[in-house]
Amino acid sequence: EITGYFGPKTEQAVILFQEMYYQDILEPSNLTKGNGLVRAGTRAKLNEVCFQGGEILEFSLATLDQENLLETAKELKNQFEKLGIKVNIEKIQEEEIKNREYQSFLIGIVSSAILDPLPFWHSEQKKDPGYNFSLYENKKADDLLESLRVTFEEELRKEKLRQLEELIVEDMPALFLYTKGYYYNVSDRVKGIELEKIINTSHRFSGIDSWYIRVKRQWK
């Protein structure tokens, strides 16, 4: 089973592969043992051994017609094609998303102030209007997601979220690419700013009534 997860077992398999083809992979790099790193020499030998029939791995990557998503899709296409994998970018329509008519789907998600991952990972959310676009299904994950909605003790929530994270990492229903940062400049003269989670740009003004520039003692 291919999951896309590069863990200890995959690393050990790469090391064995490198040592099996010692003269082609290790010797040109002056190495005596496999290191588990899939660099140019290892990739070339993998392509030679695994794709002798001339078949090319190819898949479609669907995304919305939005500039940032299309730019990300193009970058993914470039990176995959360096590995010999052909990627066809498709602009997907709302109806196709509802019907889950795609091989793979690239999307950006803005999380809410209160973390509720149930719409994205619960098996009952696989169909529209749910947001389980990866069609993920795991009974343990379902139980944790349901439990999180009635758990309010912070440390217990953290533990259940940790368990859910482990399941998702192990099953790998999706690949998480990046988190976009949000930055803004504030003069060092302004005091009293306490940064909290910013969900949208207007939240940067939360607590503005506590901001100040100068404070002085004054008799009343």
Side-chain angles (χ1 to χ4, degrees):
E1 180 183 4
I2 299 175
T3 65
Y5 174 60
F6 192 100
K9 291 183 179 179
T10 307
E11 182 181 24
Q12 187 58 38
V14 171
I15 290 172
L16 291 173
F17 180 83
Q18 291 171 327
E19 293 178 351
M20 182 184 298
Y21 295 96
Y22 172 86
Q23 291 183 330
D24 296 318
I25 300 174
L26 301 180
E27 195 173 71
S29 299
N30 296 319
L31 296 174
T32 56
K33 293 183 178 180
N35 54 21
L37 301 175
V38 186
R39 292 176 174 164
T42 303
R43 286 201 304 270
K45 196 63 182 179
L46 280 168
N47 289 333
E48 177 187 334
V49 172
C50 299
F51 301 104
Q52 290 180 351
E55 295 183 4
I56 298 175
L57 180 59
E58 180 178 357
F59 71 94
S60 297
L61 177 61
T63 193
L64 299 170
D65 189 6
Q66 297 177 8
E67 183 179 0
N68 61 327
L69 291 174
L70 289 172
E71 287 299 316
T72 302
K74 290 175 183 176
E75 178 60 29
L76 289 171
K77 175 183 174 71
N78 291 336
Q79 292 186 21
F80 273 114
E81 290 186 347
K82 288 178 182 178
L83 300 174
I85 301 170
K86 185 177 180 181
V87 178
N88 301 309
I89 298 174
E90 298 178 352
K91 296 178 184 178
I92 198 168
Q93 303 299 318
E94 185 176 346
E95 196 62 30
E96 295 171 288
I97 298 173
K98 288 181 178 180
N99 297 329
R100 308 301 194 243
E101 296 174 0
Y102 45 77
Q103 278 190 304
S104 61
F105 183 35
L106 172 65
I107 190 171
I109 295 173
V110 178
S111 62
S112 61
I114 300 175
L115 183 60
D116 179 21
L118 186 144
F120 302 101
W121 305 112
H122 197 284
S123 60
E124 292 186 358
Q125 301 294 314
K126 292 190 296 182
K127 295 182 179 180
D128 185 72
Y131 296 117
N132 185 353
F133 301 115
S134 60
L135 308 181
Y136 181 54
E137 186 169 354
N138 184 308
K139 181 62 170 61
K140 290 182 180 179
D142 285 352
D143 292 342
L144 282 168
L145 289 162
E146 292 166 13
S147 177
L148 277 165
R149 283 199 162 180
V150 294
T151 301
F152 304 101
E153 200 278 310
E154 185 175 356
E155 291 304 315
L156 186 55
R157 277 186 62 82
K158 286 181 180 179
E159 174 58 25
K160 291 184 177 183
L161 285 168
R162 184 193 64 77
Q163 293 177 27
L164 177 64
E165 181 181 14
E166 287 184 351
L167 283 175
I168 292 173
V169 168
E170 182 178 352
D171 294 340
M172 196 62 72
L175 295 175
F176 302 93
L177 300 177
Y178 65 91
T179 299
K180 187 176 181 180
Y182 177 70
Y183 305 96
Y184 66 95
N185 297 321
V186 179
S187 170
D188 56 9
R189 296 174 59 208
V190 181
K191 312 299 181 184
I193 299 176
E194 294 185 6
L195 294 176
E196 295 187 3
K197 188 173 183 179
I198 296 176
I199 304 302
N200 58 55
T201 56
S202 64
H203 287 175
R204 70 189 187 278
F205 295 117
S206 298
I208 193 173
D209 55 324
S210 300
W211 297 7
Y212 62 92
I213 294 178
R214 289 185 301 180
V215 174
K216 67 178 181 179
R217 296 181 182 274
Q218 183 174 352
W219 291 99
K220 290 186 177 181

